[in-house]
């Protein structure tokens, strides 16, 4: 029944005779439905029993019973409708009650136009206070003095009549209820605005949920993962076939190297043995002159190779080779996973425009708010609360308090920059330490090649190559801020496990121009991704 109620509409529960919602719905033998009274009146006018829709005639008058199922649907439909105020009837009408035109607070009665005439003609009754007719008139009359509640006691925060101010509320501060009502109406404005804001936030959340559902239908991440694991499986099977051959080749190379080493060592041993024999003979010689003549040559060390040159290259085990091969494969496939993630994130791309009211006075923004450059001269701009005064930063115009979003920034040619997101209430005046504790989630470049993430403690990053275009992805609910190199398609860094309690804004800082060395602009890219708007 709950799901049926959600799709009920007036057209489905409409009598085709009176064109209104069924009252005591009945069904004819041909299957059409009408109000019981409407159908009987129709038959009385036509003088024969016929279906008003299909014109099928019935020999005798069908036995009509209220259709319990349709009647229940009608009740559910009527309960969905906003309740209409009941008609207030005249208290003075004796026969047929007529709808009241006014209610009198002094008389405690409601009157139709005819019975209201004395209140417009008789002097005593003219002074009575009339109001729009209400059903619960006793709520507008003082139960103690039976007089209209015309005053509001500020001390007791309650409505009182004129007689109440003579005794119980004599010294209290009272005002006409009209005056108090106007004050309360003024207070209702912000409450209404707050309610509207809550409605808008929930509508945005509904839109975001629907957006996510649609994305889940389109994203082929599961299929891509299957491809990756298939590729890994193929690589492992290929390695399984290739490794024996590789091991055999390595073993043969080691054996050839060993043979050469042994040959060289044996040659050196032969020469050393001859030298040893010669030295033994000289130890026992009586030819002293000969010994003195050849001695200098004997002191020269023989020409031999360094024994360290004969080390055999370490033999790689099968396990080591497999590990190296798997690491190589995983590195390739991880790059593919990063590429997949980037494609998913790009589906959440938003249009980001720079907010000139937040820009440091040295920053120059393009007319369309897509490019920011550091200028050498301070511009004459108002030092409003939103503007950065010391740090050369600028924010995006739109903040985000839910969902996921993504944007890309070109940083090609720059030697310094800062990029990320910032909490709306974060400090903007004076020196700023960028870190999550201060409401900043940023990536920065210094001195051309020193990359770091401004986490609680700065994290130095080793890059495959200098980023040319950086993609920034934020998942508000999950507390994630991720940075990607768009062209090379690799992950740079992610802040995870963060808690966002307010709106966060895109942050851009081209940093100072060092004599033209860092003069390239930061450009927000206009993307044409195939994502759901």
């Amino acid at each position: 029944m709950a799901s049926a109620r959600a799709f009920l509409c007036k057209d489905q529960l409409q009598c085709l005779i009176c064109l209104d919602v069924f009252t005591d719905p009945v069904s004819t033998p041909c299957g059409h439905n009408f109000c019981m009274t409407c159908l009987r009146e129709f038959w009385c006018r036509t003088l024969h029993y016929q279906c008003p829709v299909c014109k099928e005639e019935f020999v005798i008058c069908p036995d009509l019973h209220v259709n319990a199922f349709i009647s229940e649907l009608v009740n559910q439909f009527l309960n969905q409708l906003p309740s209409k105020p009941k008609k207030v009837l005249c208290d003075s009408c004796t026969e047929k009650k007529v709808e009241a035109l006014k209610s009198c607070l002094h008389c405690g009665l409601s009157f139709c136009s005819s019975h209201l005439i004395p209140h417009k003609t008789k002097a005593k009754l003219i002074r009575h206070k009339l109001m729009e007719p209400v059903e619960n008139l006793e709520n507008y009359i003082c139960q103690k003095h039976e007089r209209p509640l015309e005053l509001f006691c500020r001390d007791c925060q309650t409505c009182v009549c004129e007689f109440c101010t003579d005794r119980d509320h004599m010294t209290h501060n009272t005002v006409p209820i009209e005056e108090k009502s106007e004050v309360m109406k003024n207070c209702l404005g912000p409450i209404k605005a707050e309610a509207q804001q809550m409605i808008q936030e929930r509508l945005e959340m509904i839109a975001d949920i629907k957006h996510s559902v649609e994305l889940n239908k389109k994203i082929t991440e599961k299929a891509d993962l299957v491809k990756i694991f298939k590729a890994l499986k193929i690589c492992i099977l290929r390695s399984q076939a290739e490794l024996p051959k590789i091991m055999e080749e390595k073993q043969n190379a080691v054996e050839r190297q060993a043979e050469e080493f042994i040959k060289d060592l044996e040659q050196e041993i032969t020469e050393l043995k001859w030298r040893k024999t010669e030295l033994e003979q000289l130890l026992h010689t009586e030819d002293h002159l000969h010994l003195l003549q050849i001695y200098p040559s004997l002191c020269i060390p023989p020409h031999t190779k360094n024994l360290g040159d004969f080390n055999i290259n370490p033999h790689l085990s099968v396990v080591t080779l497999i590990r190296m091969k798997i690491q190589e494969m995983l590195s390739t496939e991880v790059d593919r996973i990063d590429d997949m993630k980037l494609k998913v994130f790009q589906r959440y791309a938003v249009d980001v425009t720079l907010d000139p009211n937040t820009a440091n006075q040295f920053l120059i923004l393009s007319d369309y708010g897509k490019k920011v450059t550091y200028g050498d001269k301070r511009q004459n701009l108002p030092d409003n609360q939103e503007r950065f005064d010391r740090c050369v930063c600028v924010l995006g115009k739109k903040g985000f308090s839910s969902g996921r979003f993504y944007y890309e920034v070109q940083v090609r040619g720059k030697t310094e920059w800062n990029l990320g997101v910032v909490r709306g209430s974060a400090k903007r005046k004076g020196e700023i330490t960028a870190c999550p504790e201060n409401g900043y989630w940023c990536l920065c470049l210094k001195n051309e090649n020193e990359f770091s993430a401004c986490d609680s403690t700065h994290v130095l990053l080793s890059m495959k190559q200098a980023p040319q275009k950086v993609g920034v992805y934020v998942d508000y609910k999950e507390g994630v801020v991720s940075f990607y190199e768009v062209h090379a398609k690799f992950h740079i860094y992610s802040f995870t496990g963060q808690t966002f309690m307010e709106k966060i804004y895109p942050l851009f800082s081209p940093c100072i121009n060092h004599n033209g060395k860092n003069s390239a602009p930061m450009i927000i890219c206009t993307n044409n991704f195939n994502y759901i708007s």
Side-chain angles (χ1 to χ4, degrees):
M1 279 299 178
S3 60
R5 187 187 307 126
F7 295 100
L8 290 176
C9 66
K10 183 177 179 180
D11 292 342
Q12 296 171 308
L13 303 172
Q14 189 179 63
C15 172
L16 296 178
I17 298 176
C18 67
L19 301 180
D20 203 348
V21 177
F22 291 123
T23 301
D24 295 332
V26 295
S27 300
T28 59
C30 57
H32 294 105
N33 304 303
F34 308 93
C35 300
M36 180 181 288
T37 303
C38 294
L39 186 58
R40 284 177 174 171
E41 290 179 352
F42 176 80
W43 284 343
C44 289
R45 292 195 304 271
T46 57
L47 301 179
H48 61 280
Y49 309 119
Q50 183 186 54
C51 175
V53 177
C54 65
K55 306 304 181 184
E56 181 178 344
E57 295 190 3
F58 313 114
V59 178
I60 59 174
C61 178
D63 190 10
L64 300 178
H65 297 282
V66 174
N67 188 316
F69 177 73
I70 298 178
S71 181
E72 174 62 21
L73 291 180
V74 169
N75 291 334
Q76 291 181 13
F77 173 73
L78 293 176
N79 289 335
Q80 293 178 152
L81 299 177
S83 58
K84 296 181 180 179
K86 295 181 179 179
K87 293 182 180 180
V88 179
L89 302 179
C90 177
D91 292 317
S92 297
C93 291
T94 55
E95 297 181 358
K96 185 178 181 180
K97 294 283 187 181
V98 179
E99 185 177 353
L101 184 63
K102 293 287 182 180
S103 293
C104 177
L105 294 177
H106 287 77
C107 301
L109 299 171
S110 299
F111 302 100
C112 63
S113 57
S114 299
H115 292 105
L116 190 62
I117 294 176
H119 279 77
K120 296 182 177 181
T121 56
K122 294 185 178 182
K124 184 178 180 180
L125 297 179
I126 289 177
R127 293 195 297 268
H128 286 193
K129 187 170 184 178
L130 301 176
M131 62 178 296
E132 294 301 314
V134 291
E135 186 178 10
N136 53 338
L137 193 56
E138 64 276 3
N139 293 342
Y140 296 81
I141 299 173
C142 176
Q143 299 301 309
K144 185 175 182 179
H145 304 109
E146 297 185 353
R147 301 288 294 175
L149 295 170
E150 299 177 301
L151 301 169
F152 181 81
C153 177
R154 289 175 172 170
D155 296 329
C156 301
Q157 292 293 302
T158 185
C159 294
V160 297
C161 70
E162 186 178 1
F163 288 175
C164 290
T165 59
D166 293 337
R167 292 189 178 182
D168 299 340
H169 302 267
M170 184 170 58
T171 60
H172 292 183
N173 183 10
T174 59
V175 294
I177 58 173
E178 293 82 3
E179 181 180 333
K180 180 63 178 179
S181 176
E182 289 299 321
V183 173
M184 289 185 168
K185 284 182 181 178
N186 294 333
C187 296
L188 291 177
I191 298 175
K192 177 186 175 184
E194 182 182 1
Q196 180 60 39
Q197 176 65 25
M198 293 175 69
I199 292 171
Q200 186 61 33
E201 289 174 353
R202 280 147 183 79
L203 289 173
E204 291 177 0
M205 182 61 71
I206 290 172
D208 184 62
I209 292 171
K210 291 181 178 179
H211 181 71
S212 298
V213 170
E214 290 300 320
L215 281 178
N216 287 334
K217 292 180 182 178
K218 293 178 176 291
I219 292 173
T220 59
E221 188 173 356
K222 183 177 179 180
D224 290 335
L225 286 174
V226 171
K227 291 180 181 178
I228 289 173
F229 282 106
K230 281 185 178 179
L232 286 172
K233 183 179 179 180
I234 291 172
C235 289
I236 291 172
L237 292 174
R238 188 188 303 125
S239 298
Q240 184 180 7
E242 292 175 353
L243 278 174
K245 184 179 179 181
I246 293 173
M247 294 298 296
E248 183 180 357
E249 291 176 353
K250 288 184 176 294
Q251 180 64 29
N252 291 336
V254 168
E255 290 177 357
R256 287 194 299 270
Q257 187 182 36
E259 288 176 359
E260 292 177 1
F261 287 166
I262 291 171
K263 182 179 179 181
D264 291 342
L265 288 168
E266 287 177 344
Q267 177 65 32
E268 289 185 357
I269 289 172
T270 300
E271 293 175 356
L272 289 170
K273 283 182 177 180
W274 176 86
R275 179 180 174 85
K276 178 185 175 184
T277 300
E278 186 177 13
L279 288 171
E280 286 180 350
Q281 292 175 354
L282 289 173
L283 285 172
H284 299 92
T285 185
E286 295 296 333
D287 189 350
H288 303 295
L289 179 60
H290 176 68
L291 176 62
L292 292 174
Q293 287 176 341
I294 68 171
Y295 180 79
S297 63
L298 296 175
C299 292
I300 300 174
H303 180 71
T304 58
K305 293 182 180 179
N306 190 336
L307 291 178
D309 296 338
F310 291 99
N311 286 335
I312 301 295
N313 290 333
H315 185 77
L316 294 177
S317 68
V318 176
V319 174
T320 303
L321 287 172
I322 291 175
R323 185 177 67 247
M324 291 172 59
K325 198 72 175 177
I326 289 177
Q327 286 175 341
E328 179 184 343
M329 290 185 295
L330 285 177
S331 178
T332 302
E333 297 306 322
V334 164
D335 289 342
R336 289 184 59 188
I337 292 174
D338 285 343
D339 185 18
M340 287 165 45
K341 284 185 177 180
L342 190 58
K343 288 179 181 178
V344 172
F345 294 160
Q346 286 173 339
R347 294 178 180 271
Y348 294 96
V350 294
D351 185 21
V352 176
T353 305
L354 300 172
D355 184 359
N357 291 325
T358 65
N360 179 277
Q361 293 176 328
F362 279 94
L363 294 182
I364 300 172
L365 310 186
S366 63
D367 292 339
Y368 295 100
K370 297 293 184 182
K371 181 170 67 174
V372 55
T373 310
Y374 181 83
D376 294 328
K377 295 182 180 180
R378 182 189 296 271
Q379 301 176 80
N380 186 18
L381 299 173
D383 186 20
N384 50 283
Q385 185 178 359
E386 297 86 3
R387 192 179 306 282
F388 289 89
D389 62 348
R390 295 290 296 277
C391 296
V392 284
C393 298
V394 60
L395 301 185
K397 281 186 177 180
K398 183 181 179 182
F400 300 86
S401 58
S402 64
R404 288 165 277 192
F405 65 93
Y406 172 87
Y407 61 94
E408 294 179 352
V409 184
Q410 179 179 303
V411 292
R412 184 186 301 119
K414 296 196 64 62
T415 59
E416 289 189 14
W417 48 260
N418 285 278
L419 179 64
V421 293
V422 60
R423 191 169 56 219
S425 63
K427 178 183 177 182
R428 302 186 193 180
K429 303 297 184 182
E431 295 294 335
I432 298 172
T433 300
C435 63
E437 289 77 11
N438 293 336
Y440 286 80
W441 294 268
C442 300
L443 199 69
C444 70
L445 166 66
K446 292 182 179 180
N447 302 324
E448 296 190 45
N449 56 8
E450 296 178 10
F451 294 95
S452 64
C454 304
D455 213 326
S456 300
T457 56
H458 273 226
V459 180
L460 295 178
L461 303 174
S462 176
M463 295 283 190
K464 300 177 181 178
Q465 62 187 64
Q468 304 295 304
K469 184 190 289 187
V470 179
V472 183
Y473 168 77
V474 178
D475 187 326
Y476 192 96
K477 182 179 179 181
E478 296 298 325
V480 174
V481 181
S482 293
F483 300 87
Y484 280 79
E485 209 302 316
V486 177
H487 290 312
K489 298 178 181 178
F490 65 83
H491 172 249
I492 300 174
Y493 188 80
S494 288
F495 295 89
T496 58
Q498 307 299 308
T499 302
F500 304 126
M501 302 298 292
E502 57 182 274
K503 280 189 176 182
I504 54 177
Y505 294 80
L507 170 75
F508 310 86
S509 175
C511 294
I512 297 174
N513 180 3
H514 298 289
N515 298 321
K517 194 174 182 182
N518 189 36
S519 59
M522 295 180 78
I523 303 173
I524 301 172
C525 303
T526 303
N527 302 305
N528 294 316
F529 302 126
N530 182 24
Y531 65 92
I532 303 170
S533 59

